[in-house]
Amino acid sequence: MMCRDKCHCTLVLKNDLDEIDSVWAAILDVLENFGLDRRDLFQINLVVDELFTNIVSYAYPDKGEHDIEANISIEKKHLVVEFVDDGIEFNPVEFKEPDICESLQKRHEGGLGIHFCRKCNTNCTHERKNGQNHVTCIKRIHKTRSFDKLITYQIINVH
């Protein structure tokens, strides 16, 4: 099916850091069809890696196997990345901004990844519903090719 200005990809992954390669490969497959510039690709990679790594590393104190859903869509000139997990509630939007001017010796560990995600995106939101975290980041994207010849992707259960 051809689409104009819109594309969607859904991935269902395990809470395992080894899955990040599958996430990025699938996302790249979709994004390359949009002709995004290198800066956008770099920033998207940073955001996806940071969000997924935080979920895997901190959301599941039981260390059991859980599914994480990643929804990636492009609508007009915006990329929307949403991660849905059933881990402990964590709202990165409310996470305190690190003092990047403070010396390394005085600075608290952590928080820089979320800081970078905020700086790379137009808007980030968090919602807790039905026992799940829904973290959504929206980024304005710059294209180098036309959106006219796109394929709609629906990728489920990468693992």
Side-chain angles (χ1 to χ4, degrees), residues 7-152:
C7 189
H8 180 81
C9 171
T10 296
L11 308 165
V12 179
L13 308 144
K14 295 298 176 199
N15 58 319
D16 181 340
L17 289 178
D18 289 338
E19 294 273 272
I20 194 66
D21 291 335
S22 296
V23 174
W24 189 239
I27 290 172
L28 267 181
D29 189 41
V30 172
L31 295 180
E32 285 179 348
N33 287 299
F34 285 89
L36 301 184
D37 69 20
R38 288 182 182 267
R39 178 178 170 207
D40 283 339
L41 287 173
F42 174 80
Q43 290 178 344
I44 293 163
N45 186 4
L46 177 79
V47 169
V48 167
D49 189 80
E50 179 64 23
L51 293 175
F52 186 75
T53 299
N54 280 349
I55 294 168
V56 170
S57 299
Y58 305 114
Y60 303 107
D62 66 6
K63 304 298 180 200
E65 188 175 283
H66 295 267
D67 287 337
I68 300 167
E69 183 177 306
N71 295 297
I72 300 96
S73 60
I74 296 179
E75 297 184 19
K76 304 236 181 229
K77 294 183 179 185
H78 291 88
L79 172 78
V80 180
V81 176
E82 177 193 39
F83 281 97
V84 180
D85 69 81
D86 65 345
I88 60 174
E89 183 171 2
F90 176 69
N91 184 346
V93 176
E94 293 178 349
F95 197 78
K96 185 181 176 219
E97 284 278 334
D99 184 354
I100 58 174
C101 296
E102 192 169 49
S103 72
L104 289 176
Q105 293 80 12
K106 292 182 180 180
R107 193 178 304 162
H108 296 283
E109 187 177 324
L112 282 178
I114 293 171
H115 171 74
F116 292 137
C117 286
R118 288 179 183 144
K119 296 301 178 193
C120 291
N121 291 288
T122 305
N123 186 27
C124 284
T125 63
H126 171 270
E127 185 176 13
R128 181 79 175 182
K129 58 183 176 186
N130 300 324
Q132 295 181 312
N133 293 301
H134 294 255
V135 177
T136 305
C137 293
I138 302 169
K139 177 176 181 18
R140 181 168 172 74
I141 55 175
H142 308 89
K143 60 182 179 168
T144 57
R145 290 196 308 262
S146 172
F147 280 149
D148 292 340
K149 298 177 181 176
L150 302 174
I151 299 172
T152 298

